[in-house]
Amino acid sequence: MWPYPRILAHRGGGTLAPENTLAGFRAGLQHGYRAVEFDVMLTRDEVPILMHDPQRGRTLPGSGRIAETDWAELRELEAGAWRAPAFAGERICTLEQCLDFCLEQGIWMNVEIKPAAPEHARRTAELTAQAVARRFAGVTGAALPVLSSFSFEALLAAQETAPQLPRGFLVDVIPEDWQQRLAQLQAVALHTNHKHLTPALAASVKDAGVSLFCYTVNDTARAAEIRAWGVDAFCTDRIDLIAADAWAA
C-alpha cells in the first residue's frame, strides 16, 4: 500500500541542524536519510520558501509575519546560528532550490503545504503544486513527492492544480469523517500525530485499505509499537537515534 520510504527526516535534518534549510538536508544525508519532510509557505511576493512558523522570532531573527515580508529581505536573514554556531551564515531556501538539491541527491520528499493563514491556503497550494509538478513532469509512481497539509482547502487546490501528484491528508486527531475526506481528496494516505493514535484507530484505517503515516516519532520503542499496529511510515527528529533503514522490508 505504501510505496514510499518508511522513515523520513523531519524538516530536513531533525534536531541536528536548522530546520527547513539545505544544511538540514545535508545532515540527513550524513545519517543515511534520503527521504525528508519539509514545510512550504509563501512570502509577500509569492515566492514559495521552506518555512514552518508564520512569524519570525524562532528560526529567523527579528519580528514580523512571513506573509508580509518579501523574499529579498528574508533571504538575507541568518537562519542557522540559532541551532548551533557551526551553522552561522546559513540562509533559508526557496522551494525551487530545495527541489534542485533533492533531485540532485536522490532525496524523496513529503512536501507539507503550510499556509501562513487560512486566506493563503489556496494560493500556497497552487504555487507549491505547480513547482513540484514542473520538476516531475512525466514521472509516475513512487518517485513522485507526496503533498500533505493540515489545510483541507489547500489539498483541494493542490488536487485541482496537479491531480497527478499524490496527496496525504494531515490531521492532529483523526476525525470521524476521515474516510469521506480522503475520498474527496483522492488521497493516498492519512497522516496523523502518533500521540493520539490508538491500536483501534490504526486498525480502522488499515482495515479500510488506507496507508497510515505518523509524525513525529523520536523514540525507538514507540516506533516499534506503532509498526506493530500497522503504521506504514513516520518522520522523526532523531535521525541520530533511528536509522533511516530501520523499517526496511
Side-chain angles (χ1 to χ4, degrees):
M1 290 292 297
W2 177 267
Y4 312 108
R6 292 183 173 271
I7 308 179
L8 283 57
H10 186 223
R11 301 181 193 169
T15 55
L16 300 191
E19 66 185 52
N20 286 322
T21 66
L22 295 185
F25 294 120
R26 294 188 187 100
L29 285 172
Q30 290 171 0
H31 286 78
Y33 275 78
R34 291 188 179 273
V36 297
E37 180 271 355
F38 58 81
D39 309 287
V40 179
M41 189 176 292
L42 293 186
T43 64
R44 179 168 58 187
D45 49 345
E46 294 195 333
V47 177
I49 65 170
L50 270 60
M51 180 60 53
H52 178 272
D53 296 5
Q55 298 270 3
R56 287 162 58 180
R58 185 176 68 89
T59 63
L60 290 177
S63 61
R65 294 181 58 80
I66 300 300
E68 296 172 357
T69 312
D70 289 341
W71 167 239
E73 179 179 349
L74 292 170
R75 68 184 178 188
E76 299 301 323
L77 298 177
E78 169 65 55
W82 67 273
R83 172 53 61 196
F87 296 112
E90 186 68 22
R91 299 293 188 260
I92 60 174
C93 66
T94 66
L95 174 59
E96 294 285 357
Q97 291 169 331
C98 169
L99 292 172
D100 283 343
F101 184 86
C102 289
L103 284 167
E104 178 183 321
Q105 298 295 329
I107 298 173
W108 183 82
M109 294 167 275
N110 174 10
V111 183
E112 182 180 338
I113 302 167
K114 199 83 172 180
E119 60 268 27
H120 300 300
R122 174 163 288 275
R123 190 60 174 158
T124 306
E126 289 172 347
L127 293 179
T128 300
Q130 287 170 7
V132 175
R134 279 195 302 270
R135 296 304 186 88
F136 286 85
V139 177
T140 60
L144 286 173
V146 168
L147 304 182
S148 65
S149 185
F150 284 103
S151 169
F152 192 73
E153 181 183 358
L155 288 174
L156 286 174
Q159 182 183 23
E160 294 170 8
T161 303
Q164 72 276 23
L165 296 177
R167 292 164 296 283
F169 180 37
L170 179 55
V171 297
D172 182 30
V173 178
I174 298 175
E176 291 184 1
D177 63 347
W178 66 268
Q179 286 182 283
Q180 295 94 317
R181 287 177 173 264
L182 257 71
Q184 187 175 352
L185 294 169
Q186 297 181 311
V188 300
L190 181 64
H191 297 203
T192 192
N193 189 340
H194 78 95
K195 294 178 181 179
H196 302 141
L197 190 65
T198 65
L201 278 172
S204 68
V205 174
K206 298 307 299 177
D207 288 347
V210 174
S211 292
L212 184 57
F213 179 93
C214 283
Y215 72 91
T216 302
V217 182
N218 295 326
D219 180 82
T220 55
R222 180 59 170 171
E225 182 176 38
I226 63 172
R227 186 181 193 184
W229 295 353
V231 170
D232 295 287
F234 66 91
C235 63
T236 183
D237 285 320
R238 294 302 308 271
I239 63 174
D240 56 331
L241 179 65
I242 300 175
D245 60 355
W247 277 19

